Coordinates of all heavy atoms in Angstrom, one line a residue:
M1 N 0.8 -1.2 0.0 CA 0.0 0.0 0.0 C 0.9 1.2 0.0 O 1.8 1.3 0.8 CB -0.9 0.0 1.2 CG -1.8 1.1 1.3 SD -2.9 1.0 2.8 CE -3.8 -0.4 2.3
K2 N 0.6 2.2 -0.9 CA 1.4 3.4 -1.0 C 0.6 4.6 -0.6 O -0.6 4.6 -0.7 CB 1.9 3.5 -2.4 CG 2.9 2.4 -2.8 CD 3.3 2.7 -4.2 CE 4.3 1.6 -4.6 NZ 4.8 1.8 -6.0
G3 N 1.3 5.6 -0.2 CA 0.6 6.9 0.1 C 1.2 7.5 1.4 O 2.0 6.9 2.1
N4 N 0.8 8.7 1.7 CA 1.2 9.4 2.9 C 0.5 8.8 4.1 O -0.6 8.2 4.0 CB 0.8 10.8 2.8 CG 1.7 11.5 1.8 OD1 2.8 11.2 1.5 ND2 1.1 12.6 1.2
V5 N 1.1 8.9 5.3 CA 0.5 8.5 6.5 C -0.3 9.7 7.0 O 0.3 10.8 7.2 CB 1.6 8.1 7.6 CG1 1.0 7.8 8.9 CG2 2.4 6.9 7.1
I6 N -1.5 9.5 7.3 CA -2.4 10.6 7.8 C -2.7 10.3 9.3 O -3.3 9.2 9.5 CB -3.7 10.8 7.0 CG1 -3.3 11.1 5.5 CG2 -4.6 11.8 7.5 CD1 -4.4 10.9 4.5
I7 N -2.4 11.2 10.2 CA -2.6 10.9 11.6 C -3.6 11.9 12.1 O -3.4 13.1 12.0 CB -1.3 11.0 12.4 CG1 -0.3 9.9 11.9 CG2 -1.5 10.8 13.9 CD1 1.1 10.0 12.4
Y8 N -4.6 11.5 12.8 CA -5.6 12.3 13.4 C -5.8 12.0 14.8 O -5.9 10.8 15.2 CB -7.0 12.1 12.7 CG -8.1 12.8 13.4 CD1 -8.3 14.2 13.3 CD2 -9.0 12.1 14.2 CE1 -9.4 14.8 14.0 CE2 -10.0 12.7 14.9 CZ -10.2 14.1 14.8 OH -11.2 14.7 15.5
Y9 N -5.7 13.0 15.7 CA -5.9 12.8 17.1 C -7.0 13.7 17.7 O -6.9 14.9 17.5 CB -4.6 12.9 17.9 CG -4.8 12.7 19.4 CD1 -5.1 11.4 19.9 CD2 -4.8 13.8 20.3 CE1 -5.3 11.2 21.2 CE2 -5.0 13.6 21.6 CZ -5.2 12.3 22.1 OH -5.4 12.1 23.4
D10 N -8.0 13.2 18.4 CA -9.0 14.0 19.0 C -8.7 14.0 20.5 O -8.9 12.9 21.2 CB -10.4 13.4 18.8 CG -11.5 14.2 19.4 OD1 -11.3 14.7 20.5 OD2 -12.6 14.3 18.7
D11 N -8.2 15.1 21.0 CA -7.8 15.2 22.4 C -8.9 15.0 23.4 O -8.8 14.3 24.4 CB -7.1 16.5 22.7 CG -6.5 16.6 24.0 OD1 -5.7 15.7 24.4 OD2 -6.7 17.6 24.7
E12 N -10.1 15.5 23.1 CA -11.2 15.4 24.0 C -11.7 14.0 24.1 O -12.1 13.5 25.2 CB -12.4 16.3 23.5 CG -13.5 16.4 24.4 CD -14.6 17.4 24.0 OE1 -14.2 18.4 23.4 OE2 -15.8 17.1 24.2
A13 N -11.8 13.3 23.0 CA -12.2 11.9 23.0 C -11.1 10.9 23.3 O -11.3 9.7 23.5 CB -12.9 11.5 21.7
D14 N -9.8 11.4 23.3 CA -8.6 10.5 23.4 C -8.7 9.4 22.4 O -8.6 8.2 22.7 CB -8.5 10.0 24.8 CG -7.1 9.4 25.1 OD1 -6.2 9.7 24.4 OD2 -7.0 8.7 26.1
F15 N -8.7 9.8 21.1 CA -8.9 8.9 20.0 C -7.9 9.2 19.0 O -7.7 10.3 18.5 CB -10.3 9.1 19.4 CG -10.6 8.4 18.1 CD1 -10.9 7.0 18.1 CD2 -10.5 9.0 16.9 CE1 -11.2 6.3 17.0 CE2 -10.8 8.4 15.7 CZ -11.1 7.0 15.8
L16 N -7.1 8.1 18.6 CA -6.0 8.3 17.6 C -6.4 7.5 16.4 O -6.8 6.3 16.5 CB -4.7 7.8 18.1 CG -3.6 7.8 17.1 CD1 -3.1 9.3 16.9 CD2 -2.4 7.0 17.5
E17 N -6.3 8.1 15.2 CA -6.6 7.3 13.9 C -5.4 7.5 13.0 O -4.9 8.7 12.8 CB -7.8 7.8 13.3 CG -8.2 7.0 12.1 CD -9.6 7.4 11.5 OE1 -10.3 8.2 12.1 OE2 -9.8 7.0 10.3
I18 N -4.9 6.5 12.4 CA -3.8 6.5 11.5 C -4.3 5.9 10.2 O -4.7 4.7 10.2 CB -2.5 5.8 12.0 CG1 -2.1 6.4 13.4 CG2 -1.4 5.8 11.0 CD1 -1.0 5.6 14.1
N19 N -4.2 6.6 9.1 CA -4.6 6.1 7.8 C -3.4 6.2 6.8 O -2.6 7.0 6.9 CB -5.8 6.9 7.3 CG -7.0 6.6 8.0 OD1 -7.6 5.5 8.0 ND2 -7.5 7.6 8.8
I20 N -3.4 5.2 5.8 CA -2.4 5.2 4.8 C -3.1 5.6 3.5 O -4.1 5.1 3.1 CB -1.8 3.8 4.6 CG1 -1.3 3.3 6.0 CG2 -0.7 3.8 3.6 CD1 -0.3 4.0 6.7
G21 N -2.5 6.6 2.8 CA -3.0 7.0 1.5 C -4.2 7.9 1.6 O -4.6 8.3 2.7
K22 N -4.8 8.2 0.5 CA -5.9 9.1 0.5 C -7.1 8.4 1.2 O -7.3 7.2 1.2 CB -6.3 9.6 -0.9 CG -6.8 8.5 -1.8 CD -7.2 9.1 -3.1 CE -7.8 8.0 -4.0 NZ -8.3 8.6 -5.3
Y23 N -8.0 9.3 1.8 CA -9.1 8.8 2.5 C -10.1 8.1 1.6 O -10.4 8.6 0.5 CB -9.8 9.9 3.2 CG -11.0 9.5 4.0 CD1 -10.8 9.0 5.3 CD2 -12.3 9.6 3.6 CE1 -11.9 8.5 6.1 CE2 -13.4 9.2 4.3 CZ -13.2 8.7 5.6 OH -14.2 8.2 6.3
R24 N -10.6 6.9 1.9 CA -11.5 6.1 1.1 C -12.7 5.8 2.0 O -12.5 5.6 3.2 CB -10.9 4.8 0.6 CG -9.7 5.0 -0.3 CD -9.1 3.6 -0.5 NE -7.7 3.4 -0.7 CZ -6.7 3.8 0.0 NH1 -6.9 4.6 1.0 NH2 -5.5 3.5 -0.3
K25 N -13.8 5.6 1.4 CA -15.0 5.2 2.2 C -14.7 3.8 2.7 O -14.2 2.9 2.1 CB -16.3 5.1 1.3 CG -16.8 6.5 1.0 CD -18.1 6.3 0.3 CE -18.7 7.7 0.0 NZ -20.0 7.6 -0.6
G26 N -15.1 3.6 4.0 CA -14.9 2.3 4.6 C -15.6 2.2 5.9 O -16.5 3.0 6.2
Y27 N -15.2 1.3 6.7 CA -15.8 1.0 8.0 C -14.7 0.5 9.0 O -13.6 0.1 8.5 CB -16.9 0.0 7.9 CG -16.5 -1.3 7.3 CD1 -16.0 -2.4 8.1 CD2 -16.5 -1.6 5.9 CE1 -15.6 -3.6 7.6 CE2 -16.0 -2.8 5.4 CZ -15.6 -3.8 6.3 OH -15.2 -5.0 5.7
F28 N -15.0 0.6 10.3 CA -14.1 0.1 11.3 C -14.5 -1.3 11.7 O -15.7 -1.6 11.8 CB -14.1 1.0 12.5 CG -13.4 2.3 12.3 CD1 -14.1 3.5 12.1 CD2 -12.0 2.3 12.2 CE1 -13.4 4.7 11.9 CE2 -11.3 3.5 12.0 CZ -12.0 4.7 11.9
E29 N -13.5 -2.2 11.9 CA -13.7 -3.5 12.3 C -13.0 -3.7 13.6 O -11.8 -3.6 13.7 CB -13.2 -4.5 11.3 CG -13.5 -6.0 11.6 CD -13.0 -6.9 10.5 OE1 -13.4 -6.7 9.3 OE2 -12.3 -7.8 10.8
D30 N -13.7 -4.0 14.7 CA -13.1 -4.1 16.0 C -12.2 -5.3 16.0 O -12.5 -6.4 15.6 CB -14.2 -4.3 17.1 CG -13.7 -4.4 18.5 OD1 -12.6 -3.9 18.7 OD2 -14.4 -5.0 19.3
I31 N -10.9 -5.1 16.5 CA -10.0 -6.2 16.6 C -9.7 -6.5 18.1 O -8.8 -7.3 18.4 CB -8.7 -6.0 15.8 CG1 -8.0 -4.7 16.2 CG2 -9.0 -6.0 14.3 CD1 -6.6 -4.6 15.4
G32 N -10.3 -5.8 19.0 CA -10.2 -6.0 20.4 C -9.4 -5.0 21.2 O -8.6 -4.3 20.7
E33 N -9.8 -4.9 22.5 CA -9.1 -4.0 23.5 C -9.1 -2.6 23.0 O -8.1 -1.9 23.2 CB -7.7 -4.5 23.7 CG -7.7 -5.9 24.4 CD -6.4 -6.4 24.8 OE1 -5.5 -5.6 25.1 OE2 -6.1 -7.6 24.8
G34 N -10.2 -2.1 22.4 CA -10.2 -0.7 22.0 C -9.5 -0.3 20.8 O -9.2 0.9 20.5
I35 N -9.1 -1.3 20.0 CA -8.4 -1.1 18.7 C -9.3 -1.6 17.6 O -9.8 -2.7 17.7 CB -7.0 -1.7 18.7 CG1 -6.2 -1.2 19.9 CG2 -6.3 -1.5 17.4 CD1 -4.9 -1.9 20.1
A36 N -9.3 -0.8 16.5 CA -10.1 -1.2 15.3 C -9.3 -0.9 14.1 O -8.5 0.0 14.1 CB -11.4 -0.4 15.3
K37 N -9.5 -1.7 13.1 CA -8.9 -1.5 11.8 C -9.9 -0.8 10.9 O -11.1 -1.2 10.9 CB -8.2 -2.7 11.2 CG -9.2 -3.8 10.8 CD -8.5 -5.0 10.3 CE -9.4 -6.1 9.9 NZ -8.7 -7.3 9.3
R38 N -9.4 0.0 10.0 CA -10.3 0.7 9.0 C -10.1 -0.1 7.7 O -9.0 -0.4 7.3 CB -9.8 2.1 8.8 CG -10.7 2.8 7.8 CD -10.4 4.3 7.8 NE -11.3 5.0 6.9 CZ -12.6 5.2 7.1 NH1 -13.1 4.9 8.3 NH2 -13.3 5.9 6.3
V39 N -11.3 -0.5 7.2 CA -11.3 -1.4 6.0 C -11.9 -0.6 4.8 O -13.0 0.0 5.0 CB -12.1 -2.7 6.3 CG1 -12.2 -3.6 5.1 CG2 -11.5 -3.4 7.5
D40 N -11.2 -0.7 3.7 CA -11.8 -0.1 2.5 C -13.0 -0.8 2.0 O -13.0 -2.0 1.9 CB -10.7 -0.1 1.4 CG -11.1 0.6 0.1 OD1 -12.1 0.2 -0.5 OD2 -10.3 1.4 -0.4
E41 N -14.1 -0.1 1.8 CA -15.4 -0.6 1.5 C -15.4 -1.4 0.2 O -16.0 -2.4 0.0 CB -16.4 0.5 1.5 CG -17.7 0.4 1.0 CD -18.5 1.7 1.2 OE1 -18.9 2.0 2.3 OE2 -18.7 2.3 0.2
K42 N -14.6 -0.9 -0.8 CA -14.5 -1.5 -2.1 C -13.6 -2.7 -2.2 O -13.9 -3.8 -2.8 CB -14.1 -0.5 -3.2 CG -15.2 0.5 -3.5 CD -14.8 1.4 -4.6 CE -15.8 2.5 -4.8 NZ -15.4 3.4 -5.9
T43 N -12.4 -2.6 -1.6 CA -11.4 -3.6 -1.8 C -11.3 -4.6 -0.6 O -10.8 -5.7 -0.7 CB -10.0 -3.0 -1.9 OG1 -9.6 -2.3 -0.7 CG2 -9.9 -2.0 -3.1
G44 N -11.8 -4.2 0.6 CA -11.7 -5.1 1.7 C -10.4 -5.0 2.4 O -10.1 -5.8 3.4
K45 N -9.5 -4.2 1.9 CA -8.1 -4.1 2.5 C -8.1 -3.1 3.6 O -8.8 -2.2 3.7 CB -7.1 -3.6 1.4 CG -6.9 -4.6 0.3 CD -5.9 -4.1 -0.6 CE -5.6 -5.2 -1.7 NZ -4.5 -4.8 -2.6
T46 N -7.2 -3.4 4.6 CA -7.0 -2.6 5.7 C -6.3 -1.3 5.3 O -5.2 -1.4 4.6 CB -6.2 -3.3 6.8 OG1 -6.9 -4.5 7.2 CG2 -6.0 -2.4 8.0
T47 N -6.8 -0.1 5.6 CA -6.2 1.1 5.2 C -5.8 2.0 6.4 O -5.2 3.0 6.3 CB -7.2 2.0 4.4 OG1 -8.4 2.2 5.1 CG2 -7.5 1.3 3.1
G48 N -6.1 1.5 7.6 CA -5.7 2.3 8.8 C -6.0 1.6 10.1 O -6.5 0.4 10.1
V49 N -5.8 2.3 11.2 CA -6.1 1.7 12.5 C -6.5 2.9 13.4 O -6.2 4.0 13.2 CB -4.8 1.1 13.1 CG1 -3.7 2.0 13.3 CG2 -5.1 0.3 14.4
A50 N -7.4 2.5 14.3 CA -8.0 3.5 15.3 C -7.7 2.9 16.7 O -7.9 1.8 16.9 CB -9.4 3.8 15.1
I51 N -7.3 3.8 17.6 CA -7.0 3.4 19.0 C -7.8 4.3 20.0 O -7.6 5.5 20.0 CB -5.5 3.5 19.3 CG1 -4.7 2.6 18.2 CG2 -5.2 3.0 20.7 CD1 -3.2 2.8 18.3
L52 N -8.6 3.7 20.8 CA -9.4 4.4 21.8 C -8.5 4.5 23.0 O -7.6 3.6 23.3 CB -10.7 3.7 22.2 CG -11.7 3.5 21.0 CD1 -12.8 2.7 21.5 CD2 -12.2 4.9 20.6
S53 N -8.7 5.5 23.9 CA -7.9 5.7 25.1 C -6.4 5.7 24.8 O -5.6 5.2 25.6 CB -8.3 4.7 26.1 OG -9.6 4.7 26.4
F54 N -6.0 6.4 23.7 CA -4.6 6.4 23.3 C -3.7 7.0 24.4 O -2.7 6.4 24.7 CB -4.5 7.2 22.0 CG -3.1 7.2 21.5 CD1 -2.5 6.1 21.0 CD2 -2.3 8.4 21.6 CE1 -1.2 6.1 20.5 CE2 -1.0 8.4 21.1 CZ -0.4 7.3 20.6
R55 N -4.1 8.1 25.0 CA -3.2 8.8 26.0 C -3.0 7.9 27.2 O -1.8 7.8 27.6 CB -3.9 10.1 26.5 CG -3.0 10.9 27.4 CD -3.6 12.1 27.9 NE -4.1 13.0 26.9 CZ -5.4 13.3 26.8 NH1 -6.3 12.9 27.7 NH2 -5.9 14.1 25.9
K56 N -4.0 7.2 27.6 CA -3.8 6.2 28.7 C -2.8 5.1 28.4 O -2.0 4.7 29.2 CB -5.1 5.6 29.1 CG -6.1 6.5 29.8 CD -7.3 5.8 30.2 CE -8.3 6.7 30.9 NZ -9.5 6.0 31.2
R57 N -2.8 4.7 27.1 CA -1.9 3.6 26.7 C -0.5 4.0 26.7 O 0.4 3.2 26.8 CB -2.3 3.1 25.3 CG -3.7 2.5 25.3 CD -4.1 2.2 23.9 NE -5.5 1.8 23.8 CZ -5.9 0.5 23.7 NH1 -5.0 -0.4 23.8 NH2 -7.2 0.2 23.7
I58 N -0.2 5.3 26.5 CA 1.2 5.8 26.3 C 1.7 6.6 27.5 O 2.7 7.3 27.4 CB 1.4 6.6 25.0 CG1 0.6 7.8 25.0 CG2 1.1 5.7 23.8 CD1 1.0 8.8 23.9
E59 N 0.9 6.7 28.6 CA 1.3 7.5 29.8 C 2.7 7.3 30.2 O 3.4 8.2 30.6 CB 0.4 7.2 30.9 CG -1.0 7.9 30.8 CD -1.9 7.6 32.0 OE1 -1.7 6.7 32.7 OE2 -2.8 8.4 32.2
S60 N 3.2 6.1 30.2 CA 4.6 5.8 30.7 C 5.7 6.1 29.7 O 6.8 6.2 30.0 CB 4.7 4.3 31.1 OG 4.5 3.5 29.9
I61 N 5.3 6.4 28.4 CA 6.3 6.8 27.4 C 6.4 8.3 27.4 O 5.5 9.0 27.2 CB 5.8 6.3 26.0 CG1 5.6 4.8 26.0 CG2 6.8 6.7 25.0 CD1 5.0 4.2 24.8
K62 N 7.6 8.8 27.7 CA 7.9 10.2 27.7 C 8.2 10.7 26.3 O 7.8 11.8 25.9 CB 9.0 10.5 28.7 CG 8.7 10.1 30.1 CD 7.4 10.8 30.6 CE 7.1 10.4 32.0 NZ 5.8 10.7 32.5
T63 N 9.1 10.0 25.6 CA 9.4 10.4 24.2 C 9.6 9.2 23.4 O 9.8 8.1 23.9 CB 10.8 11.2 24.2 OG1 11.8 10.3 24.6 CG2 10.8 12.4 25.0
F64 N 9.4 9.4 22.1 CA 9.7 8.3 21.2 C 10.2 8.9 19.9 O 10.0 10.1 19.6 CB 8.5 7.4 20.9 CG 7.3 8.0 20.4 CD1 7.1 8.1 19.0 CD2 6.4 8.6 21.2 CE1 6.0 8.7 18.5 CE2 5.3 9.2 20.7 CZ 5.1 9.3 19.3
E65 N 11.0 8.1 19.1 CA 11.6 8.6 17.9 C 11.1 7.8 16.7 O 11.0 6.5 16.8 CB 13.1 8.4 18.1 CG 13.9 9.0 16.9 CD 15.4 8.9 17.2 OE1 15.8 9.2 18.4 OE2 16.2 8.7 16.3
V66 N 10.9 8.4 15.6 CA 10.5 7.8 14.4 C 11.4 8.3 13.3 O 11.5 9.5 13.1 CB 9.0 8.1 14.0 CG1 8.6 7.5 12.7 CG2 8.1 7.7 15.2
A67 N 12.0 7.3 12.6 CA 12.9 7.7 11.5 C 12.0 8.0 10.3 O 11.0 7.4 10.0 CB 13.8 6.6 11.1
L68 N 12.4 9.1 9.5 CA 11.6 9.5 8.3 C 12.5 9.2 7.1 O 13.7 9.3 7.2 CB 11.3 11.0 8.4 CG 10.3 11.3 9.6 CD1 10.2 12.9 9.6 CD2 9.0 10.6 9.4
P69 N 11.9 8.9 6.0 CA 10.5 8.6 5.8 C 10.1 7.3 6.4 O 10.9 6.4 6.6 CB 10.4 8.5 4.2 CG 11.7 8.1 3.8 CD 12.7 8.6 4.8
V70 N 8.8 7.3 6.7 CA 8.2 6.1 7.4 C 7.6 5.2 6.3 O 6.9 5.7 5.5 CB 7.1 6.5 8.4 CG1 6.4 5.3 9.0 CG2 7.7 7.4 9.5
K71 N 7.9 3.9 6.4 CA 7.3 2.9 5.6 C 6.5 2.0 6.4 O 7.0 1.4 7.3 CB 8.3 2.2 4.8 CG 7.7 1.2 3.8 CD 8.7 0.4 3.0 CE 8.0 -0.5 2.1 NZ 9.0 -1.3 1.3
I72 N 5.2 2.0 6.2 CA 4.3 1.2 7.0 C 3.5 0.2 6.2 O 3.0 0.6 5.1 CB 3.3 2.0 7.9 CG1 4.1 3.0 8.8 CG2 2.3 1.2 8.6 CD1 3.2 3.9 9.5
E73 N 3.5 -1.0 6.5 CA 2.6 -2.0 5.8 C 1.7 -2.6 6.9 O 2.1 -3.1 7.9 CB 3.5 -3.1 5.2 CG 2.6 -4.1 4.4 CD 3.5 -5.1 3.7 OE1 4.7 -4.9 3.5 OE2 2.9 -6.2 3.3
I74 N 0.4 -2.5 6.6 CA -0.6 -3.0 7.5 C -1.1 -4.3 6.9 O -1.6 -4.3 5.8 CB -1.8 -2.0 7.7 CG1 -1.2 -0.7 8.3 CG2 -2.8 -2.6 8.6 CD1 -2.2 0.4 8.4
L75 N -1.0 -5.4 7.6 CA -1.5 -6.7 7.2 C -2.8 -6.9 7.8 O -3.0 -6.7 9.0 CB -0.5 -7.7 7.6 CG 1.0 -7.5 7.1 CD1 1.9 -8.6 7.7 CD2 1.0 -7.5 5.6
G76 N -3.7 -7.4 7.0 CA -5.1 -7.6 7.6 C -5.9 -8.5 6.9 O -5.7 -9.1 5.9

């Protein structure tokens, strides 16, 4: 899957969504423990991931480093 990584965070809802490539119509499929994958409605391929209570999950992490450019492959 090719495209830019699009990251959206809603501070009030504590909701993180990461999508690959341009936005496509789709739906979320629960994969457990407050995590869901975004599935392209036409192809059935996974195009992103959503995480509920994101801030709570990373409270113990003070900093993290990501090398650019980022290459992400989501298997689903």
Side-chain angles (χ1 to χ4, degrees):
M1 181 177 295
K2 294 182 181 181
N4 292 331
V5 175
I6 301 165
I7 300 172
Y8 169 78
Y9 179 70
D10 183 323
D11 190 46
E12 188 175 325
D14 195 16
F15 171 81
L16 177 75
E17 185 176 348
I18 302 170
N19 289 293
I20 309 299
K22 66 179 185 175
Y23 182 81
R24 301 170 211 50
K25 287 188 178 182
Y27 58 91
F28 286 105
E29 184 178 306
D30 183 25
I31 58 175
E33 297 186 29
I35 301 174
K37 63 181 180 177
R38 183 170 182 74
V39 180
D40 183 303
E41 170 176 286
K42 290 183 181 178
T43 65
K45 291 185 178 183
T46 301
T47 61
V49 64
I51 304 170
L52 299 174
S53 302
F54 181 72
R55 186 181 309 119
K56 286 182 182 179
R57 296 170 189 266
I58 64 164
E59 282 180 340
S60 63
I61 300 172
K62 299 299 179 196
T63 63
F64 60 93
E65 184 175 323
V66 177
L68 297 175
V70 175
K71 181 178 179 181
I72 298 175
E73 182 175 343
I74 300 175
L75 305 175

